[in-house]
Amino acid sequence: MFDFTRISIWSLAIFPLLIVVLWLLFRHKQKNSKQQSNLSSDYFKGLNYLLNDEQGKALDVFVKLVETDWDTIDTHFALGKIYRKNGEMDKAIKIHQGLIGRPSLPEKYRSKILLELGFDYLGAGWFDRAEGLFKEVLIEDKQSKVARQNLILIYQQEKDWYKAIDIAVELYKVNASVKGPMIAQYYCELAEMARTKGDIKQLLNNTEKALSYDSNCVRASILLAEQSQREGKYRAAINYFAGIENQDVESMTLIMDAMLICYTQLSALNEFYTYLLALEQRHEKLFLQTVITDVLEQIKGKSSAVQYLSIKLRQQPSLEGMQKLLSYKFTDINTQTLCDDMKGALGSMQKERMAFRCRQCGFNTNTHYWLCPSCSHWGKIKPLLGDTCKMSNI
Ligand SMILES: [Zn+2]
């Protein structure tokens, strides 16, 4: 009989196991009526050990069961997954190692067990062992996408971009739209490494490769623009930056400061102002108010800048714009007008601010990352646009 006094203590942790084991038992009973009674009693014996937190004994029972009938292997996979989910990698590893070591293991289950063991090692942070297992899976099952995807995760973690590219290129053949942008990011990583070493040839070579896998790779355009900027080729840099409008218009706000520097170096701020107004007209939600204010101040003076910002803040409230308006506080403009502007804008803003958000998982951040720290997708973190920047998840 079950020791029900333990259930209250263990109910939270053990309940999912109970459901899984009972469900698998039910399914198995339907599949195999001959061995029904023996299996039932062994299953309940194993279950009782689980409920009493005697995992070692429970595993012994389940391993014996699987040797009698390998169709019960799903129980092991289910238990392994639950242990892994609970962070109990040692127990998950024990289950899968127990299976892989059985002499009677049918060949058809081998790859699946190796994969599960690989997940356990990944969870435990043993990347070397996980890598070895996923490679072994690929030897047995050359088509295994799961093994490839996990190898990519390992290489990403280890920043081994060449190996990550090798594997991702194989997956690119079957899913270019997803893997292309990923491979482009790997080449951008290599380009950044080349830049650090001062190897300009490799920097250009890698950005070119990035764009060949993803013509909309904003990061590659930025790398090219910044290199031109460093070489004093400001017109070329501006062209690269301006090209981002066609790649991903939201990312334009990332490069406004750099564009301002380039146009300033060329003494062409009037041209920049005309460009910005046209850009704003083409994309009315794009957040350009602070850079337009900066440019206006330089070419037409503070009062023009304040006048533009006061009107703009009513249409597109923002913290950055408010801070800029505050910086004009000690100018000779009418203080009452300034206060009214601030109150109006603050009322509209309420818990809103300029930030970045991952388009994939919704992760919010004040720092821009190319790789989302939350969902590990590349190039999905984008600047939030002025009037849509609720910070509900921060
Ligand atoms: Zn994300």
Side-chain angles (χ1 to χ4, degrees):
M1 290 297 289
F2 301 140
D3 179 356
F4 285 103
T5 57
R6 302 295 295 271
I7 290 180
S8 58
I9 304 165
W10 282 95
S11 56
L12 279 180
I14 227 74
F15 191 68
L17 287 176
L18 182 71
I19 299 291
V20 169
V21 173
L22 284 176
W23 179 76
L24 288 168
L25 170 63
F26 171 74
R27 206 180 65 158
H28 190 78
K29 275 169 82 174
Q30 287 190 318
K31 277 166 69 178
N32 193 347
S33 57
K34 281 184 186 172
Q35 292 172 310
Q36 179 180 322
S37 58
N38 281 345
L39 283 175
S40 300
S41 87
D42 286 341
Y43 256 116
F44 278 113
K45 202 168 148 191
L47 189 59
N48 198 23
Y49 283 134
L50 275 179
L51 285 167
N52 288 305
D53 194 28
E54 294 177 283
Q55 278 97 351
K57 287 182 181 173
L59 279 183
D60 289 343
V61 172
F62 288 130
V63 166
K64 272 181 197 159
L65 267 174
V66 86
E67 288 225 299
T68 318
D69 180 359
W70 278 94
D71 281 348
T72 64
I73 197 168
D74 284 348
T75 316
H76 293 72
F77 291 144
L79 289 176
K81 269 185 192 141
I82 291 167
Y83 282 134
R84 204 161 55 226
K85 213 172 170 184
N86 288 341
E88 297 176 281
M89 301 305 163
D90 52 331
K91 287 174 186 164
I93 288 169
K94 204 172 171 188
I95 289 178
H96 299 126
Q97 277 181 337
L99 289 174
I100 209 81
R102 310 313 292 179
S104 62
L105 171 69
E107 206 50 39
K108 63 175 178 176
Y109 293 124
R110 203 176 143 73
S111 290
K112 168 80 173 148
I113 300 169
L114 287 174
L115 272 181
E116 293 292 331
L117 195 51
F119 297 148
D120 301 338
Y121 286 143
L122 265 190
W126 295 338
F127 295 126
D128 286 357
R129 291 188 192 187
E131 181 187 352
L133 284 172
F134 292 132
K135 279 183 176 170
E136 209 176 323
V137 173
L138 275 182
I139 292 168
E140 296 192 11
D141 175 11
K142 288 187 174 57
Q143 306 303 319
S144 177
K145 274 190 203 169
V146 183
R148 283 202 174 86
Q149 272 157 353
N150 280 282
L151 277 172
I152 285 179
L153 286 181
I154 292 170
Y155 297 142
Q156 252 180 224
Q157 193 77 26
E158 294 174 339
K159 299 191 188 299
D160 193 334
W161 308 114
Y162 286 109
K163 281 188 183 173
I165 288 169
D166 282 348
I167 302 281
V169 163
E170 289 171 39
L171 293 168
Y172 176 77
K173 290 169 196 160
V174 285
N175 194 349
S177 63
V178 173
K179 297 301 167 195
M182 202 184 212
I183 296 170
Q185 292 285 343
Y186 299 153
Y187 276 113
C188 287
E189 291 284 346
L190 289 173
E192 286 193 359
M193 283 164 67
R195 185 193 56 196
T196 309
K197 288 179 195 162
D199 187 344
I200 308 307
K201 198 177 164 191
Q202 272 304 324
L203 162 66
L204 299 177
N205 191 23
N206 285 315
T207 44
E208 196 179 306
K209 280 185 180 158
L211 287 166
S212 73
Y213 277 99
D214 177 18
S215 58
N216 290 326
C217 182
V218 171
R219 189 178 182 186
S221 296
I222 294 176
L223 283 164
L224 286 170
E226 287 174 346
Q227 182 53 32
S228 296
Q229 200 179 336
R230 274 192 293 277
E231 292 172 10
K233 298 173 185 168
Y234 299 111
R235 188 56 67 181
I238 286 169
N239 288 339
Y240 283 127
F241 283 135
I244 292 171
E245 181 185 355
N246 296 323
Q247 293 180 313
D248 181 64
V249 69
E250 290 171 47
S251 299
M252 288 299 281
T253 51
L254 293 175
I255 45 95
M256 281 300 140
D257 290 347
M259 275 189 113
L260 176 60
I261 292 170
C262 291
Y263 275 105
T264 305
Q265 289 291 333
L266 292 170
S267 303
L269 284 180
N270 277 307
E271 184 191 333
F272 190 33
Y273 179 60
T274 309
Y275 168 79
L276 287 171
L277 289 187
L279 186 65
E280 195 178 43
Q281 208 154 28
R282 287 196 293 276
H283 313 282
E284 60 177 21
K285 287 192 171 179
L286 204 55
F287 187 82
L288 300 172
Q289 56 182 242
T290 48
V291 68
I292 290 178
T293 308
D294 280 341
V295 175
L296 260 178
E297 186 184 344
Q298 290 189 56
I299 61 176
K300 293 187 181 175
K302 276 186 182 172
S303 58
S304 292
V306 170
Q307 193 182 7
Y308 163 80
L309 196 53
S310 299
I311 296 166
K312 194 68 195 170
L313 273 174
R314 291 192 195 107
Q315 304 160 356
Q316 195 181 38
S318 78
L319 265 184
E320 286 192 4
M322 288 301 298
Q323 282 163 347
K324 194 159 267 302
L325 200 56
L326 269 175
S327 72
Y328 292 119
K329 190 175 176 182
F330 300 109
T331 61
D332 53 1
I333 60 160
N334 182 299
T335 312
Q336 188 57 47
T337 312
L338 179 63
C339 286
D340 290 343
D341 288 333
M342 286 173 60
K343 276 182 192 167
L346 276 172
S348 310
M349 282 166 60
Q350 281 188 359
K351 293 187 182 177
E352 290 182 341
R353 62 180 301 183
M354 177 70 178
F356 302 94
R357 180 176 295 163
C358 175
R359 279 189 199 163
Q360 192 70 30
C361 70
F363 174 73
N364 285 304
T365 169
N366 284 324
T367 311
H368 180 261
Y369 300 98
W370 292 109
L371 177 64
C372 175
S374 172
C375 70
S376 296
H377 276 86
W378 288 94
K380 295 288 181 186
I381 291 186
K382 307 285 180 183
L384 285 166
L385 302 179
D387 60 350
T388 55
C389 53
K390 287 186 190 303
M391 45 184 280
S392 51
N393 295 329
I394 292 182

